[in-house]
Amino acid sequence: MSIALTTTDVPPTVVRTHCPYCAFQCGTTLTVVHDSGLSPTIAGDDAFPVNNGRLCVKGWTASELLCHPDRLTTPLVRGPDDRLHPATWKAALDRIADAFRRARREYGADAIGLFGSGALTNEKAYLLGKFARVAVGTPHVDYNGRYCMSSAAAAGNKAFGIDRGLPFPVQDIPLAQVILIIGSNPADTLPPIAQWFEQQKARGGRLIVADPRRTPTAQSADLFLQLTPGSDLALANGLLFIVIEEQLLNLPFIRSRTNGFDAARRVALTYHPGRVEQLTGISEATLRKTARWLATADTAMILTGRGPEQQSKGVDTVLAFINFILAIGQIGRPGSGYGCLTGQGNGQGGREHGQKADQLPGYRLIEVDAHREHTARVWGVDPASLPRKGRSAYELLDSLGQPGGIRSLLVMGSNVAVASPHAGNILQRLQALDFLAVCDAFLNETAALADVVLPVTQWAEEDGTLTNFEGRVIRRRQVQAPPDGVRSDWEILCALAERLGYGDQFAFASAEDIFAELRVATAGGIADYAGISYDRIDAEQGVFWPCPTAEHPGTPRLFEQQFYHADEKARFHAVEHRPAGEEPDAEYPIYFTTGRYAEHYNSGVQTRKVGRLRQAKPAPRLQLHPELADHIGLIEPGYVQVASRRGVVMFEAEVTSTIRPDTVFAPFHYGGTAAANVLTQATLDPTSRMPEFKMAAVRVTAIPPTQESR
Ligand code: SF4
């Protein structure tokens, strides 16, 4: 690593922290050359045992954002000319507090909404939930993690009584003799995780991948199941049928550690391989090979991603795979288990501490009286004053400006105009608001619509904690001071609470100060952080929750002794395959599905600003099979128009035989006329309220070359 010459005698400072992007939360070192005016130099942290020094291209380039010329450094307030103008912090914060007071006076506190993010630190997520319930008094606080992890989270709670993405450390992956990955492409989305799969393969392990696309992950698999979009649940039930029929069940495990097998068994026995072959497109021979490999291995693991989860039956789909892993007894031992590959940087911690409409800190539930009393005691308020459960993310946004809906909204760290399904509808709803405030480091597509925009700190300018996809609580450390005029989201919430008359409950001096209260608020909850301190995180390379006391070692591996229901057993669930909210038909005959590029992250607000990433993937391209390209008369290179019942998007075509002929794929990182979410649909899972991002019906037509340039 080369270090620029410094003009001072002060030696460069090296700070250990973590990448700002995904849930792998790679350890990084940032080297600051004082008075150089340069961004810190970033490198992988060899000592952090999750990534062992490896980073992906997003991580390597992350520091470019810190001094980016588009960075917001002053509050913006919309003027009478309908344009955003620089303003003082006092004027901007007063405007938000006035708007909230007016909404409360005219419509009641329920007319105010708060929208958070899986990118917020634990401290910010905790404070946003408290701010909603205490300072504003609204039930309507939710976050974009609802779009990411909520189905796997709900399934984990139902089956195990606890929701932690991976219930084991990442070092368990090489110990699995067989791994089945469903609907996840970690080779692109979490590249440094490849080292653990490489080790698994080097030990003689086998990898099975199920996906409608032959992704880079699928290309490294020993067995590839190119299933029909939306048929994952049928696949899981079919695997259970086979192990029942072939007597590969682990009956001692089922009897001693689970409940409810008989009902799940009855349903599974209607999923004969012939039926499952029709539903999934996977041959009976491949189904049987998959089931046998998993059931006869000494250790086996199932990992899901957004493919099976972002469906209107996402919870039941995950439950079906959990049924299978329970039935073969491959759980609760090193190298065995079910895990979810979380997406967002703090997707795990962000859903544990109360920014979700139905939750209080520590994974307590807002509708449970004992949980309300505990939290109210910590917050110094009357339990009766706490609102009840509010609207989920999409429902909250869909209510904007509607009768009885949200009139004033504060968005923190989320670009909802691009990231939401049926994005055209959400754009209209945002425009129907009386008042919109956005906190972000950049003027993203949502902030551009706001009445007030507040510039906030970035990752290397702040302290705090995040919880990675293993449930390991880690430290984000301040490497450099933020630019003048920029504040942290938590400072903004404290300043607004003071203006709304709740300064005493928000008298925090630092992120660590907030974490101290979070520890008390989570004590005795499922996600118990009471024994975790900043010092312990530093000393132990992170601490796994639950960790109830300072003496407790933390819990890297769950389920070895117990599950987390009152009887300490796991639960089977009888779950049925059902069609998606929208299936292909004569008018819209093709499946449309979405996902990520290796170079971009979420709605691309950050990564689209990084030169190397933007140059590598400047625009979305639609993947389609050569048969479909022929059928629509596409002449390469060329453009296609994709239409769903909700909108139309034009993409450059990428013809590839790695995708099913009946399916097309586009990445969702881009806004405006390139927004894939213009096409997606918002049928919600009845339990998790997850929108069905992964399934829409579309019509694809080739654009004649003469029209492309218009
Ligand atoms: Fe690691 Fe994810 Fe950052 Fe890539 S984006 S460096 S995988 S944390």
Side-chain angles (χ1 to χ4, degrees), residues 19-26 54-56 58-60 189-192:
C19 173
Y21 299 118
C22 82
F24 209 56
Q25 280 301 293
C26 292
R54 292 200 198 179
L55 300 176
C56 77
K58 298 185 290 294
W60 283 115
T189 58
L190 312 164

Side-chain angles (χ1 to χ4, degrees), residues 620-667:
R621 299 176 77 206
L622 186 90
Q623 288 188 349
L624 74 166
H625 192 274
E627 282 178 23
L628 178 59
D630 273 356
H631 180 72
I632 63 173
L634 177 74
I635 299 166
E636 291 186 75
Y639 286 78
V640 288
Q641 177 180 281
V642 183
S644 77
R645 289 183 174 82
R646 293 153 295 281
V648 178
V649 180
M650 188 174 87
F651 295 100
E652 187 181 346
E654 178 187 345
V655 179
T656 169
S657 56
T658 59
I659 193 164
R660 291 173 58 96
D662 59 1
T663 305
V664 294
F665 165 91

